[in-house]
Amino acid sequence: MAEGKSGKLTTHVLDTALGVPAAGLKIALYKVSGNSHHKMLEVVTNADGRVDAPLLEGKSFATGVYELVFFAGDYLRASGQKLPEPAFLDQVPLRFGMAEDKHYHVPLLISPYSYSTYRGS
C-alpha cells in the first residue's frame, strides 16, 4: 500500500427520482482489509449533494480497498418520498479499489428502487 501525494477521493449524490442533488445524505467511509472494516470518517452531503472536502487526500490518501456506505433510506424518507417498510434500498454499500495515486470520484445516483455508480472525474 503506497501513500499518495496527489491522489484524492471525492463523491457526490444525485436523487434521480426528484431530479435534485441529495442534500443531507449521510455517508460513511471504511478502509477494508480482508474481512475487517475500519471506519475512517462520516460526512453529510451539502445543498449541492457534495461533501465540503475530499474524503481522502494528501497524507490520508492510500491505495487499497475502501467502502462507502450511503444512508439512502434515511435521506429518501426525509425528502418525503413514500417508501415501503422495510425500504427496498436503505444503506447502499459501494466497495471499490484504488490502485493508483490519482483522483477517484465515486458518485451515487439514487431513487427509491435503484442506484448506479461509476468512476467519475
Side-chain angles (χ1 to χ4, degrees), residues 28-71:
L29 173 66
Y30 294 86
K31 174 80 169 120
V32 178
S33 179
N35 288 328
S36 72
H37 287 62
H38 168 71
K39 187 175 188 178
M40 300 183 73
L41 58 87
E42 194 172 279
V43 295
V44 175
T45 57
N46 61 25
D48 215 19
R50 299 180 181 278
V51 294
D52 293 328
L55 302 171
L56 298 173
E57 70 177 332
K59 291 182 182 180
S60 71
F61 181 89
T63 58
V65 178
Y66 292 85
E67 189 168 280
L68 285 168
V69 178
F70 297 86
F71 290 78

